[in-house]
Amino acid sequence: MKPRIRTILISGGTGLIGRALSSHLAQNGYQVHILTRKPELFHNQKNINYFGWDWKHKKIDEKALENIDAFIHLAGANIAKKKWTEKYKAEIAGSRILSLRFIREKLREKNIKLKAFAGASAIGYYGCTTDDVIRFESHNPGQDFLSRVVTEWEKESMNMRELTETFANLRTGIVWSSNGGALPKMLRPVVYNLTSALGSGQQWINWIHIDDIVGIYRFIIEERKSGIFNAVAPHHIRYDEFIRIAAGVLSKNCCFPNIPSWFIRLLYGEMACLFLEGVPISPQKLENTGYEFAYIHPARALRDLIKER
């Protein structure tokens, strides 16, 4: 029988996934240590404690590392927060790669050995393009900015293997939640009867319900799974299909033409690829490990999340 994991360190624990994951873990008896740049903004709760860190200046409250059995790395600047200037590109990369390197060095310095590590990765690995070729984990990366960032991110994560019994990276799709993230923005035009897809509408959306991404992290940690996994729902959809489904769930009409690609590129520059491109991605490897998705079809996921709004 595997020794039980009791205390989990989470970087990026105050973000969308981190909030839901830490709450879920705490409710299920785990002790959760959350690293945050502003611990003064948070109050410790039952089974959840907040600790300060600043990876840029190599500072950390070392109490965060005491008695930890597992580490989940979620830290990273929001890729859709603002235009990709060279400065913000450096922030996107550094907040993922250099922050992980800093924690790894601290763990080695303290001679801390983990039972499990799980790191966030992203489907951006496969590149900003649109076609119908289903991507599996063995597929080659793209050649654009996000692909390069994710490739380097995963390389840095690989270095964690010397400090942990099991190691996993989750290439995560668009997380759907009623508490923030992409979904409220995706639904806003539909809510106001401005139902129109972006660009061709043929780009694939690889989504995942917040409950499932939380469930996957817990599953990976508890079952000590190792490897790289696509963390997306089994049923990917095209953007124009998403609009039709969302309009149906919200009892709205689909009556507007698509928003032209050139206009999206004018607004967002290089970042427009996030909205205009997408390939189908398979979570079959994750399913083969034994994880069972709670939300497979987008209509059911949207009904559940819209009900919470």
Side-chain angles (χ1 to χ4, degrees):
M1 184 175 178
K2 299 170 184 174
R4 184 176 183 271
I5 290 173
R6 298 181 183 278
T7 305
I8 302 175
L9 175 69
I10 303 179
S11 64
T14 59
L16 180 70
I17 297 174
R19 294 194 308 270
L21 177 59
S22 57
S23 176
H24 175 80
L25 292 172
Q27 289 170 12
N28 284 276
Y30 290 92
Q31 294 292 324
V32 181
H33 293 185
I34 295 179
L35 293 174
T36 174
R37 288 172 297 172
K38 297 181 178 180
E40 67 276 5
L41 298 182
F42 302 93
H43 298 287
N44 292 339
Q45 307 163 38
K46 183 181 179 182
N47 294 344
I48 300 178
N49 291 281
Y50 296 87
F51 301 91
W53 78 316
D54 182 345
W55 63 267
K56 289 182 179 179
H57 297 94
K58 297 189 180 301
K59 295 179 180 179
I60 189 171
D61 182 343
E62 295 188 357
K63 291 180 181 178
L65 307 179
E66 293 179 358
N67 302 315
I68 61 170
D69 303 300
F71 170 36
I72 297 175
H73 181 57
L74 302 177
N78 186 341
I79 62 171
K81 184 178 180 180
K82 53 186 177 181
K83 282 191 175 183
W84 290 351
T85 61
E86 292 305 311
K87 181 178 179 181
Y88 198 60
K89 282 183 177 181
E91 177 71 16
I92 288 171
S95 61
R96 289 163 169 78
I97 299 165
L98 299 181
S99 64
L100 177 57
R101 185 176 304 168
F102 169 62
I103 296 176
R104 178 172 56 84
E105 290 170 351
K106 275 294 177 183
L107 292 173
R108 186 194 291 119
E109 178 186 307
K110 296 289 183 182
N111 197 30
I112 295 172
K113 299 295 183 180
L114 303 172
K115 294 183 177 70
F117 167 82
S121 183
I123 59 173
Y125 174 88
Y126 300 106
C128 281
T129 187
T130 298
D131 59 47
D132 295 339
V133 178
I134 297 176
R135 267 54 168 190
F136 297 90
E137 290 82 356
S138 58
H139 205 93
N140 290 331
Q143 300 298 320
D144 52 80
F145 165 67
L146 277 186
S147 299
R148 293 193 299 271
V149 168
V150 176
T151 300
E152 291 303 313
W153 190 8
E154 290 187 356
K155 284 182 181 178
E156 187 61 42
S157 293
M158 293 289 184
N159 293 327
M160 283 293 301
R161 289 182 295 184
E162 64 182 283
L163 301 174
T164 182
E165 295 175 12
T166 60
F167 159 92
N169 263 348
L170 301 182
R171 290 179 184 161
T172 308
I174 300 173
V175 178
W176 283 358
S177 169
S178 59
N179 295 318
L183 184 62
K185 298 181 181 70
M186 295 172 72
L187 290 175
R188 192 172 297 132
V190 184
V191 170
Y192 291 104
N193 279 311
L194 301 173
T195 47
S196 56
L198 303 179
S200 69
Q202 294 303 293
Q203 64 271 44
W204 293 95
I205 295 177
N206 295 278
W207 60 277
I208 185 166
H209 192 291
I210 186 68
D211 289 355
D212 272 316
I213 192 63
V214 165
I216 290 168
Y217 273 107
R218 182 180 175 187
F219 174 81
I220 289 291
I221 291 292
E222 287 185 343
E223 299 299 320
R224 314 290 175 85
K225 300 298 181 180
S226 289
I228 294 176
F229 301 95
N230 290 332
V232 296
H235 190 84
H236 40 254
I237 54 173
R238 295 188 189 273
Y239 203 104
D240 55 6
E241 183 183 359
F242 163 76
I243 291 294
R244 288 196 296 272
I245 293 172
V249 171
L250 288 164
S251 300
K252 302 292 183 178
N253 295 316
C254 292
C255 56
F256 283 81
N258 290 8
I259 299 173
S261 297
W262 65 263
F263 183 70
I264 302 299
R265 291 194 175 95
L266 181 65
L267 286 178
Y268 296 104
E270 186 180 359
M271 190 178 73
C273 70
L274 295 177
F275 316 116
L276 299 175
E277 306 291 353
V279 293
I281 295 170
S282 170
Q284 182 179 345
K285 181 180 176 182
L286 183 60
E287 291 180 294
N288 289 346
T289 68
Y291 182 77
E292 296 182 5
F293 283 85
Y295 294 89
I296 295 175
H297 296 288
R300 181 169 180 264
L302 289 175
R303 282 195 294 270
D304 175 72
L305 293 167
I306 288 171
K307 177 184 65 180
E308 296 180 13
R309 289 164 62 87

